[in-house]
Amino acid sequence: MNSTLTPGVVAVRVDTPRLAVNTLQLDGRTAGDPVVFVHGNVSSSVFWQPAMVLLPGQFRPVAVDLRGFGGTDALPVDASHGVRDYADDVAGVLDALDLADVHLVGWSLGGAVVLQMLLDAPDRYASVTLVNPVSPYGFGGTRGADGQLCDPSAAGSGGGAANPDFVARLASGDRGAEAATSPRQVLLSSYVKPPFVPADLDVYVESMLSTVVGDDNYPGDHVAVAAWPGVGPGRRGVLNTMAPTNLRLDGLAGIDPKPPIRWIRGSDDVIVSDTSLFDLANLGSIGAVPDWPGDDVAPPQPMLAQTRAVLERYSAAGGTTSEVVIDDTGHTPHVEKPAEFVAALVDGFAR
């Protein structure tokens, strides 16, 4: 993957007792306050490069590829315990590199991963930054700010919620721009806010195509359920780690100590949103998925409201939280506006 690297960024393979993990680091920067970056779904560590190279010299950035993405081993993902496979993998990298007082930064799916790490070992981290994070109650199948299940089956979440044509194009290595469901067009329409086009677009498309496709990885398995839209989460693979029956990260108020948490998000994100274009319930409400049963049965998931409610409880219990909205930006503020993103990130470290 070296052709995908920004000058000054090097790939370093880290062996842990769990698996071999690909990381990106800055060449020659082996000291400083560690900042560990965790990427989101259908991506890899290369999305962090614009932020890594702008990080001030007192910080040591380490961007990690999760299992089944980038250059990390493609081990199966056990989704029955949420994102714990990912969280334990990243913690193993910290052990192998002997990193302490770490600033954790998690984007999208990575936001759930770093929150799980915080819940597991709050005394290990200097701060946590969430970048357009998945809700603490997962993706799909819940209502209200407290993340109540719309149906006990968590219908509409998990591996069956992925667009099958996108999955097929990902598996086939589609690098084209003809179809709206191609990885390239999904990135241009949803990862970033149009009409923005990243300078390293081809690099990011290759990163998306590094995703291992299958029931054990992306998107995961699924089951048929009686409730609309007829699919529910399985127990294997990426999307099932975020099913609300497998993931619940709302216990932050009870941890001690309480490192500061900063939430940075793009104002125009269409992936993690109270009206997400990837939430089947919201798509049903606008007629894009047939036979939607209405708000009483399957309301759109209030993803932002759920994250905000959990952080407000953390603050009320004595923690420090802050929310930064980067205007005119989509799901990837670290790619779209890296200088503004890094300024907000570093400011959060000091709080």
Side-chain angles (χ1 to χ4, degrees):
M1 295 181 66
N2 286 344
S3 63
T4 69
L5 299 184
T6 299
V9 176
V10 294
V12 179
R13 198 159 178 84
V14 177
D15 291 318
T16 80
R18 296 174 58 82
L19 76 173
V21 177
N22 183 66
T23 71
L24 297 186
Q25 304 184 35
L26 293 186
D27 192 15
R29 196 180 296 187
T30 57
D33 298 339
V35 182
V36 173
F37 295 93
V38 183
H39 66 81
N41 193 15
V42 191
S43 66
S44 72
S45 57
V46 301
F47 276 78
W48 290 117
Q49 290 185 106
M52 292 174 67
V53 299
L54 291 176
L55 207 61
Q58 76 249 42
F59 299 104
R60 177 189 176 185
V62 177
V64 177
D65 282 343
L66 298 175
R67 63 170 64 191
F69 299 98
T72 290
D73 290 350
L75 270 63
V77 177
D78 179 359
S80 65
H81 50 201
V83 295
R84 188 170 294 282
D85 273 354
Y86 297 132
D88 289 350
D89 290 348
V90 178
V93 173
L94 306 192
D95 291 338
L97 296 178
D98 195 26
L99 300 180
D101 296 322
V102 172
H103 296 286
L104 287 178
V105 185
W107 164 46
S108 197
L109 164 64
V113 175
V114 299
L115 286 184
Q116 183 65 67
M117 295 173 71
L118 178 61
L119 285 164
D120 290 344
D123 58 346
R124 187 169 192 175
Y125 306 111
S127 74
V128 172
T129 302
L130 307 173
V131 184
N132 294 68
V134 64
S135 162
Y137 303 106
F139 200 100
T142 63
R143 67 170 73 237
D146 57 353
Q148 295 179 5
L149 287 172
C150 296
D151 184 85
S153 68
S157 71
N163 182 300
D165 194 57
F166 172 71
V167 174
R169 290 178 182 279
L170 197 65
S172 70
D174 182 359
R175 293 170 173 80
E178 293 76 20
T181 51
S182 70
R184 184 179 300 271
Q185 290 294 7
V186 168
L187 188 153
L188 291 172
S189 66
S190 304
Y191 282 39
V192 302
K193 180 185 177 182
F196 178 81
V197 177
D200 292 329
L201 175 59
D202 289 342
V203 169
Y204 299 130
V205 172
E206 291 303 314
S207 168
M208 296 173 73
L209 293 173
S210 77
T211 302
V212 177
V213 176
D215 284 351
D216 282 324
N217 296 100
Y218 180 84
D221 64 345
H222 64 277
V223 299
V225 299
W228 183 90
V231 294
R235 309 290 280 180
R236 301 150 56 201
V238 179
L239 294 189
N240 294 311
T241 69
M242 296 179 281
T245 43
N246 295 327
L247 182 74
R248 194 172 185 94
L249 301 171
D250 59 351
L252 293 172
I255 66 171
D256 182 36
K258 290 182 172 64
I261 300 176
R262 170 154 286 197
W263 177 18
I264 302 175
R265 62 181 181 88
S267 60
D268 300 295
D269 187 1
V270 299
I271 296 177
V272 175
S273 164
D274 288 352
T275 53
S276 169
L277 295 182
F278 290 71
D279 173 19
L280 293 184
N282 183 59
L283 290 173
S285 75
I286 61 175
V289 176
D291 302 320
W292 180 61
D295 273 320
D296 290 344
V297 176
Q301 180 186 359
M303 301 178 186
L304 301 184
Q306 290 174 351
T307 295
R308 189 169 293 113
V310 169
L311 294 183
E312 286 174 352
R313 290 198 293 272
Y314 187 76
S315 179
T320 299
T321 66
S322 55
E323 179 179 349
V324 177
V325 179
I326 298 180
D327 290 334
D328 196 32
T329 304
H331 192 59
T332 57
H334 45 300
V335 171
E336 297 167 72
K337 296 188 177 178
E340 190 172 346
F341 170 78
V342 169
L345 180 68
V346 172
D347 179 66
F349 296 163
R351 290 177 181 266

